[in-house]
Amino acid sequence: MPALRPQPTAPAPVSAAPAPRRGFGAQLALLAVMAVAIPAQLYLAIPLAAPVGAYYGTSPGSAAWTGSAFSLAYALGFLLFGPLSDRYGRRPVLVSGALALAAVTALVPLAPSYSWFLALRALQGLAAATFAPVALAYVAEHAPAARRPLALSLLTTGLLGAGPAGQALGQAVAGADAWRAAFWPAAVLYLAAALLFRRLLGAGTTDPSAGIGTALRSMARLLRTPAVVAVFCAAPTVFGSFVALYAVLGRQLAAAHGYSSAALLGVEALGALGLVVAPLVSRYAGARGPRFLAVTGFLTALGGLLLAQATTGPALPIAGSVVFVAGIGLVVPGLVGLLHQLAPHARGAAVSVNTAVLFLGASLGQTFAASASYHEVGAVAGAALLCAAGAVAATGRLAAGS
């Protein structure tokens, strides 16, 4: 009887990226709409601070926390929910987050005191943080490779468009008692989004070994990867320059050309034309890879920023803002796509850190703009964008050397 020979064992299956689910266009459309609707709750605090402060009888300084309570919890939540989506899946986090956001948003205008109002705004920001990093990671994983730059650019367009959309909504309901109208319709929308997330989004993959401790270790490893650190260092300049430019541009147009608050909202809406251009450009520039897309975006934003410094009249600064926004609309999908390549085993953590740093930059930009003049902001932001372009361009060499 011949001796039994041990049979070779089959190689362990390699975990592949989830196949695109049929109907990805509908998924992307839903995520792009909610990319506007969810972060808009952050920006509507700008016009609502005065009526909310008047309603609760607080000082103007205290009323500023209408936005700050939301934004601080929002940034903190990015570091939490991206890693949780690695463990439990993108869809469950998006569904549960939208449900929580709907409930809290409905309660915000019912707050019996300003302290309760701020507490609910903080909870609202925490719930809203379930969306951006998880949606970006979902699109990066589920979009077909050829369509990924365009898909990420559309999502980024929504996230950037939330700024003018939220401020326009807040301006429309900024009356003494009408400010509540900004919350209840939004709560209904978020509830509908939760149901649509559950119905349309793919289940994706889960990693039972992932968790908060795992995420912290992943983040620590990411910070030891030079190419990833270069991306993180470039990220604050994106929303930082965005917020700073519009803060000083609005002040300049109001002081030098007599623009009213309604006219300034019109300028922001006109600048949003750049968001329409960005997905079209990314369709072609993205074919060269995410690094090329991000560097192109930084340099385009730099050109728009320089054009916006013109003082001969309002036309050139407004045109510069359109070019600038188009460049920013290219940068964010480029950075996300680059992290998708550089951190394949920690995408949720990488996108979470990147998103948190993006919005940290927005906070720094607001502070800087408040204490600097028009041309000082342009010079510093321009230098920062140029350095960021260089850092992203260097990621190829850094990745090869690591």
Side-chain angles (χ1 to χ4, degrees):
M1 182 176 181
L4 294 177
R5 296 181 179 178
Q7 297 298 315
T9 57
V14 178
S15 176
R21 191 179 181 182
R22 299 171 79 178
F24 179 75
Q27 298 175 30
L28 180 59
L30 171 63
L31 292 171
V33 169
M34 298 316 298
V36 177
I38 291 178
Q41 289 292 323
L42 169 62
Y43 298 102
L44 68 81
I46 298 173
L48 288 190
V52 168
Y55 180 83
Y56 287 108
T58 65
S59 67
S62 297
W65 279 93
T66 298
S68 298
F70 184 104
S71 61
L72 290 174
Y74 192 51
L76 179 63
F78 291 146
L79 302 177
L80 173 65
F81 294 116
L84 285 180
S85 74
D86 283 338
R87 181 183 182 106
Y88 298 107
R90 315 297 183 205
R91 184 175 68 182
V93 173
L94 288 170
V95 171
S96 58
L99 286 173
L101 181 59
V104 177
T105 301
L107 293 174
V108 167
L110 300 177
S113 67
Y114 191 57
S115 297
W116 274 102
F117 178 85
L118 292 182
L120 289 170
R121 280 288 285 173
L123 288 175
Q124 192 188 27
L126 192 63
T130 60
F131 180 79
V134 181
L136 287 168
Y138 181 92
V139 170
E141 291 172 350
H142 287 75
R147 296 169 58 191
R148 186 175 298 130
L150 175 60
L152 287 170
S153 184
L154 287 171
L155 198 59
T156 302
T157 297
L159 293 172
L160 291 172
Q167 292 186 64
L169 174 62
Q171 191 72 34
V173 296
D177 295 317
W179 60 270
R180 291 183 178 85
F183 295 97
W184 286 320
V188 175
L189 179 61
Y190 302 148
L191 177 60
L195 299 176
L196 290 173
F197 286 155
R198 180 69 182 84
R199 181 177 180 84
L200 294 181
L201 299 186
T205 59
T206 60
D207 183 1
S209 65
I212 300 302
T214 304
L216 292 176
R217 290 190 291 272
S218 296
M219 291 175 187
R221 285 195 296 271
L222 290 172
L223 295 178
R224 293 195 297 268
T225 306
V228 173
V229 171
V231 175
F232 291 160
C233 289
T237 68
V238 181
F239 287 170
S241 59
F242 181 86
V243 170
L245 172 65
Y246 273 101
V248 297
L249 181 62
R251 189 163 38 179
Q252 174 73 8
L253 291 175
H257 305 288
Y259 274 50
S260 65
S261 58
L264 292 176
L265 282 176
V267 170
E268 291 191 7
L270 190 61
L273 288 175
L275 298 178
V276 178
V277 174
L280 301 177
V281 175
S282 70
R283 183 174 184 178
Y284 301 100
R288 299 278 301 271
R291 183 179 299 106
F292 179 83
L293 182 64
V295 172
T296 300
F298 275 123
L299 296 179
T300 302
L302 175 60
L305 187 67
L306 295 176
L307 186 61
Q309 304 307 301
T311 57
T312 54
L316 285 179
I318 293 174
S321 72
V322 176
V323 176
F324 172 82
V325 171
I328 294 300
L330 298 177
V331 170
V332 178
L335 295 183
V336 173
L338 194 53
L339 290 173
H340 183 82
Q341 292 181 350
L342 296 173
H345 302 298
R347 287 170 180 157
V351 174
S352 295
V353 173
N354 189 65
T355 311
V357 173
L358 283 171
F359 281 91
L360 174 62
S363 300
L364 295 174
Q366 180 69 40
T367 303
F368 173 58
S371 60
S373 70
Y374 186 59
H375 288 291
E376 286 175 350
V377 166
V380 175
L385 289 172
L386 188 61
C387 291
V392 172
T395 56
R397 184 173 299 175
L398 292 172
S402 60

